[in-house]
Amino acid sequence: MTERGVHLGTVQETLLIPLYGRAVENRKPQPALRDPRAEDIVASIDYDFARFDNLPSLVGTVLRTSLFDRWVADFLTSHPTGTVVEIGVGLNTRHERLDNGQAHWFDLDLPDVIDLRRTFFTDSPRRTMIAASVTDEAWTDAVKSPGPYFFSAEAVLPFLSEAQVRHVVDLIAGRFPGSLLALDTAGPGIIDTQDQHDALGKVEARMQWTCADPAELTMWRPGARILASQRLSALPPRMYDELPAAYREMLAGLAEQRLPQVEEYRLNLVQLP
């Protein structure tokens, strides 16, 4: 098999961490999430994935993706012909896991990522890749499909500055009023210690935006509502109950320890005005 070389920017390289997390998870007898396509992609890329072996945060990336999947699936149940926009899509395979044959999908990321992504995915009448920065207003013109809209920004916005995140939130709310936005936030304890993070410590990218309380987002846009704000140690009961026993035991232990790197990391679903 000929492996595809990887030539990504500093922040863009981080997309390989959750990709590898899903590939590793797929090999387990009792996974929290099935993603055979991720395993195939990892096998096709020339990159030293071994640097991420046995890292606890790989499980965290899988649980984050699983929760975002549930939010998107719930949205598509209510709005089967709606539109899903993956911000900073990386090499995510959410479309492969959740597409219902009716929804429209847009995969947005920087040009170097989309170039890599086109090695493994192709556009279709209902699925379009967009090569642009999320901070560039022009990408919104490419999202030409009926609403309602669900924007998934998984492991993306914390790498921007607060001013940039505000701009992105304003842009989405202004161009797609009433849409849903899923995003993760990191508190100061995480931002200040990310050099020691088990995965980020192995790459050059660093998060910038500190968000101690996701409720701040409702102050940026009057009328915005936080529909959900979950810690990895306190996942929704329905999701928690469906996890393999080993994961439930691990999460129970994390809840007791109340570690800053766990307590300050939130997965949020926001209803924009």
Side-chain angles (χ1 to χ4, degrees):
M1 177 187 297
T2 301
E3 294 183 329
R4 170 68 149 82
V6 175
H7 306 284
L8 296 171
T10 299
V11 172
Q12 295 91 301
E13 183 185 7
T14 62
L15 69 86
L16 299 172
I17 301 171
L19 170 69
Y20 190 56
R22 298 195 310 277
V24 171
E25 190 70 17
N26 193 65
R27 302 171 194 155
K28 297 178 180 179
Q30 291 184 299
L33 177 148
R34 282 287 183 199
D35 195 343
R37 190 67 189 280
E39 196 169 351
D40 292 340
I41 293 172
V42 165
S44 302
I45 291 179
D46 182 14
Y47 182 81
D48 179 22
F49 286 102
R51 70 178 66 183
F52 305 130
D53 279 342
N54 304 313
L55 300 184
S57 64
L58 284 188
V59 173
T61 68
V62 169
L63 294 176
R64 178 185 64 211
T65 294
S66 183
L67 179 56
F68 275 49
D69 275 6
R70 287 169 179 267
W71 284 339
V72 173
D74 288 346
F75 168 78
L76 292 178
T77 297
S78 300
H79 310 286
T81 60
T83 296
V84 178
V85 181
E86 296 273 2
I87 295 173
V89 64
L91 291 174
N92 204 345
T93 55
R94 183 163 287 121
H95 178 273
E96 282 67 29
R97 294 190 298 273
L98 301 181
D99 181 50
N100 61 4
Q102 302 177 71
H104 290 82
W105 296 73
F106 292 88
D107 297 336
L108 171 67
D109 215 318
L110 294 168
D112 57 344
V113 176
I114 294 299
D115 179 62
L116 175 62
R117 186 172 178 82
R118 289 190 184 280
T119 305
F120 306 103
F121 304 93
T122 58
D123 286 349
S124 71
R126 293 188 300 103
R127 187 186 195 181
T128 304
M129 283 179 269
I130 305 172
S133 168
V134 68
T135 61
D136 182 357
E137 296 183 16
W139 69 262
T140 61
D141 295 330
V143 180
K144 298 177 180 178
S145 64
Y149 301 92
F150 188 107
F151 291 85
S152 175
E154 182 181 351
V156 177
L157 299 184
F159 289 97
L160 303 180
S161 68
E162 180 174 319
Q164 289 174 317
V165 177
R166 283 177 175 256
H167 170 68
V168 170
V169 171
D170 287 342
L171 180 61
I172 295 172
R175 295 296 297 269
F176 307 96
S179 58
L180 293 174
L181 171 63
L183 73 157
D184 49 331
T185 53
I190 296 174
I191 300 298
D192 294 344
T193 61
Q194 57 187 314
D195 287 351
Q196 289 78 52
H197 187 271
D198 64 350
L200 284 180
K202 298 181 185 300
V203 296
E204 295 182 14
R206 292 294 178 266
M207 294 181 286
Q208 301 182 59
W209 174 41
T210 300
C211 181
D213 184 355
E216 294 175 14
L217 299 170
T218 63
M219 294 183 282
W220 294 358
R221 296 291 303 189
R225 294 184 296 129
I226 305 293
L227 301 183
S229 186
Q230 309 286 163
R231 298 180 179 89
L232 288 174
S233 59
L235 294 170
R238 180 165 60 100
M239 177 178 173
Y240 178 85
D241 291 342
E242 293 175 1
L243 289 173
Y247 284 100
R248 297 198 302 271
E249 183 178 344
M250 176 197 71
L251 293 176
L254 287 177
E256 291 180 359
Q257 295 177 58
R258 301 187 64 85
L259 300 172
Q261 60 265 40
V262 176
E263 294 299 303
E264 293 187 7
Y265 187 67
R266 299 288 190 92
L267 310 176
N268 312 285
L269 182 61
V270 182
Q271 175 79 64
L272 295 175

